[in-house]
């Protein structure tokens, strides 16, 4: 774990991220809050690209909780069978849809506690939905962010909650909204787990990672 970077260094890092990609976007395809929460839940232990391939034919016919219930468990399972853990995920989505219809009038709630109470929705999924749909400065820590936070010194922490809090505490307020997207994209395409692309990294000179590749 790298040591915590100082405020001015972190500000410079995010200034560079912003200059390279002013408006970073999540890569999961969705058409509304419901399809977003389902997509994020499906993406656990799966790639965004794999989820997108499975849901492109699903969203036109099941973009609301009621339509998903009308499709049914077997119909949903058939659509997402290429995604890891698809059987359990299908059960979670159907149960989630039932709760949304029965308890929330078919509307996705905009509170973390309510979202986390839904089957298949954990803290990370809730934070993604709150950030991407409602524009709240929540930080969804996945494996990419955990790696980048600890390698660089932007937000070191022993677990995802510690990294999430470090991001909230250490990253300047004006960069909070897009912080997790910048860190995800950096981890996915540059600061990779096995072969980080340090020679072409835009924050190489600021990063605390001791094992930089040549």
């Amino acid at each position: 774990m790298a040591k915590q970077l100082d405020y001015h260094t972190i500000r410079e890092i995010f200034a560079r991220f912003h200059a390279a990609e002013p408006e970073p976007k999540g890569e999961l395809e969705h058409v509304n809050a419901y399809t977003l929460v389902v997509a994020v839940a499906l993406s656990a232990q799966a790639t965004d690209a794999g989820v997108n391939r499975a849901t492109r034919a699903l969203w036109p016919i099941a973009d609301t909780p009621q339509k998903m219930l009308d499709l049914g468990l077997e119909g949903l399972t058939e659509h997402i069978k290429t995604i890891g853990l698809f059987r359990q995920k299908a059960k979670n989505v159907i149960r989630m849809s039932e709760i949304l219809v029965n308890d929330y009038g078919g509307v996705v709630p905009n509170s973390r506690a309510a979202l986390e109470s839904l089957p298949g929705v954990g803290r990370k999924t809730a934070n993604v939905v709150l950030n991407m749909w409602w524009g709240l400065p929540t930080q969804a820590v996945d494996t990419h962010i955990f790696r980048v936070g600890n390698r660089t010194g932007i937000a070191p922490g022993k677990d995802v909650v510690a990294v999430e809090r470090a991001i909230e505490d250490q990253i300047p307020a004006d960069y909070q909204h897009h912080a997790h997207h910048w860190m995800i994209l950096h981890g996915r395409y540059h600061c990779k787990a096995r072969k980080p692309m340090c020679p072409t990294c835009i924050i190489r000179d600021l990063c605390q990672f001791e094992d930089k590749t040549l």
Side-chain angles (χ1 to χ4, degrees), residues 99 128 205:
I99 293 172
V128 170
D205 58 315

Side-chain angles (χ1 to χ4, degrees), residues 64-128:
T64 70
Q66 186 58 58
K67 290 180 182 178
M68 189 68 76
L69 294 177
D70 293 343
L71 178 64
L73 179 60
E74 290 187 9
L76 172 58
T77 302
E78 184 65 24
H79 274 87
I80 66 170
K81 63 184 180 181
T82 57
I83 301 174
L85 307 176
F86 68 94
R87 295 189 189 281
Q88 184 58 49
K89 289 177 180 178
K91 292 177 182 177
N92 285 340
V93 169
I94 292 299
R95 181 61 185 139
M96 176 203 305
S97 301
E98 290 174 343
I99 293 172
L100 290 174
V101 168
N102 294 333
D103 297 348
Y104 295 96
V107 177
V108 175
N110 63 351
S111 82
R112 180 186 283 133
L115 286 167
E116 286 190 60
S117 73
L118 299 172
V121 177
R123 187 178 183 87
K124 188 195 83 169
T125 297
N127 282 344
V128 170

Side-chain angles (χ1 to χ4, degrees), residues 6 23 35 48 63 76 86 92 141 146 149 153 167 175 204:
D6 63 79
E23 291 290 332
T35 55
D48 288 2
D63 62 350
L76 172 58
F86 68 94
N92 285 340
V141 178
F146 187 80
I167 293 172
Y175 291 125
R204 177 186 173 92

Side-chain angles (χ1 to χ4, degrees), residues 3-196:
K3 67 178 181 179
Q4 176 68 60
L5 291 171
D6 63 79
Y7 173 86
H8 297 291
T9 303
I10 292 175
R11 172 166 280 284
E12 175 60 24
I13 286 173
F14 281 90
R16 294 183 190 182
F17 285 160
H18 178 268
E21 184 61 68
E23 291 290 332
K25 303 293 184 183
E27 297 183 326
L28 285 171
E29 296 172 5
H30 59 283
V31 297
N32 54 29
Y34 173 70
T35 55
L36 176 59
V37 72
V38 172
V40 180
L42 293 177
S43 72
Q45 300 182 51
T47 65
D48 288 2
V51 172
N52 289 340
R53 285 193 295 272
T55 57
R56 282 177 191 141
L58 178 62
W59 298 153
I61 60 173
D63 62 350
T64 70
Q66 186 58 58
K67 290 180 182 178
M68 189 68 76
L69 294 177
D70 293 343
L71 178 64
L73 179 60
E74 290 187 9
L76 172 58
T77 302
E78 184 65 24
H79 274 87
I80 66 170
K81 63 184 180 181
T82 57
I83 301 174
L85 307 176
F86 68 94
R87 295 189 189 281
Q88 184 58 49
K89 289 177 180 178
K91 292 177 182 177
N92 285 340
V93 169
I94 292 299
R95 181 61 185 139
M96 176 203 305
S97 301
E98 290 174 343
I99 293 172
L100 290 174
V101 168
N102 294 333
D103 297 348
Y104 295 96
V107 177
V108 175
N110 63 351
S111 82
R112 180 186 283 133
L115 286 167
E116 286 190 60
S117 73
L118 299 172
V121 177
R123 187 178 183 87
K124 188 195 83 169
T125 297
N127 282 344
V128 170
V129 175
L130 291 171
N131 180 278
M132 290 181 62
W133 193 256
W134 283 286
L136 300 179
T138 51
Q139 308 302 332
V141 178
D142 67 354
T143 56
H144 296 302
I145 291 181
F146 187 80
R147 180 173 66 255
V148 171
N150 277 292
R151 272 185 181 172
T152 61
I154 292 172
K158 293 182 179 180
D159 54 47
V160 294
V161 175
V163 171
E164 179 183 327
R165 288 174 178 167
I167 293 172
E168 292 173 345
D169 291 343
Q170 303 298 331
I171 294 175
D174 49 328
Y175 291 125
Q176 284 279 332
H177 178 57
H178 290 311
H180 90 273
H181 279 136
W182 279 315
M183 293 176 73
I184 286 173
L185 294 173
H186 190 66
R188 184 173 291 163
Y189 298 112
H190 301 285
C191 194
K192 300 177 181 180
R194 295 185 180 180
K195 293 183 179 180

